[in-house]
Amino acid sequence: MARCSVCGAPAIAYVPYQRRYYCPEHYAEFVEGKVERTIEKYKMIREGDRVVAAVSGGKDSATLLSTLSRLRGKLGFELYAFHIDLGIGDYSVESRKAAVELARRLRVPLVVFSLWEELGYGVPEAAVRLRRPACSVCGIFKRYLYNAVGVELGAKVATGHNADDLAAYSLKNFLFQELEAIGKLGPVQEGVPGLAATRIRPLYTVYEKESFLYTVARGLPFLHRECPHARLDSLDFKLKEMLNRLEEERPSLKLGLLSRLAKRAKDYPRPKESYARCESCGLLSSSGKCSFCRLTERLSGEPLGGWVRKRIRELFSGVTGQPSSCTWGGTSG
Ligand code: SF4
Ligand code: ZN
Ligand code: ZN
């Protein structure tokens, strides 16, 4: 049996690019150390920052929230968790349960925004009524809500994208020559005060497999199943598989790509349109109304961005102790 390279206890994992074995405790410390170094290297979080972690209930968001919760005292930042109940049948019921249990165990204040309870429809109903793919509708809901939370709280939004996700997205965007999209895949996406929250990706150097083993090593609750709308025949999934095969031959290939991308992200073209406000809700929009306001206008008869921003303030006032009428505004980065 392989033994931990640090303490000699039975190992649960081998890290090929280090040629080291780890027991559960030292493996968890290895991943936590990686996240801390990534946060420091890319100056993701400063003392006094407010950070909201997007928690889906899956393994990556469990790794994200656990590692951030262990660092909040040392680095001196406030940490909150935000979960969107997408209304996707049992999958969303179980995801919400996992997110609630995770936040409870890690003692991180959590706010849940349920699409059904707040808007009267979930992703599947909205997709059918709009005749659009579920993932495209879901993406608009998620992007808007995360951004609105960041702007309303004056917080940075931390997402659980791992190294495998980001390497596959960057390759896909290269294949389609979506160069502006590649420029947004770095470890930090700077916000625009009052319009768009700063986004950070603390798992930038953590592989998907490492995220999974971390949740096992720390015994964290997370949902083991995929969303029923996830497609295993998608190009993203195939690119991930292809990169995994290459990585077996060349350990740390993906980390090398992401390290170079982090250095070059600013050299990629930026969107040509100037930053504009949605005429309805006041958040970032490339045209008159933002996608969320246009989408909710078709579903509810009126654009709901402004109402959602107010609702988010109300929901968070219960956990931050700030009055719900107060808009902190801007971004803290
Ligand atoms: Fe949303 Fe699609 Fe992901 Fe399901 S697979 S959570 S519908 S983006
Ligand atoms: Zn050990
Ligand atoms: Zn809007």
Side-chain angles (χ1 to χ4, degrees), residues 128 132 136 165 189:
V128 169
R132 287 176 69 155
S136 125
D165 296 332
Q189 197 184 328

Side-chain angles (χ1 to χ4, degrees), residues 12 27 31 59-60 63 162 206-220 222 224:
I12 60 156
Y27 191 75
V31 173
K59 66 179 183 325
D60 295 321
T63 299
N162 60 47
V206 176
Y207 287 108
E208 187 167 353
K209 187 177 164 200
E210 290 174 340
S211 173
F212 171 74
L213 284 171
Y214 176 81
T215 57
V216 173
R218 283 273 177 246
L220 300 172
F222 70 95
H224 291 249

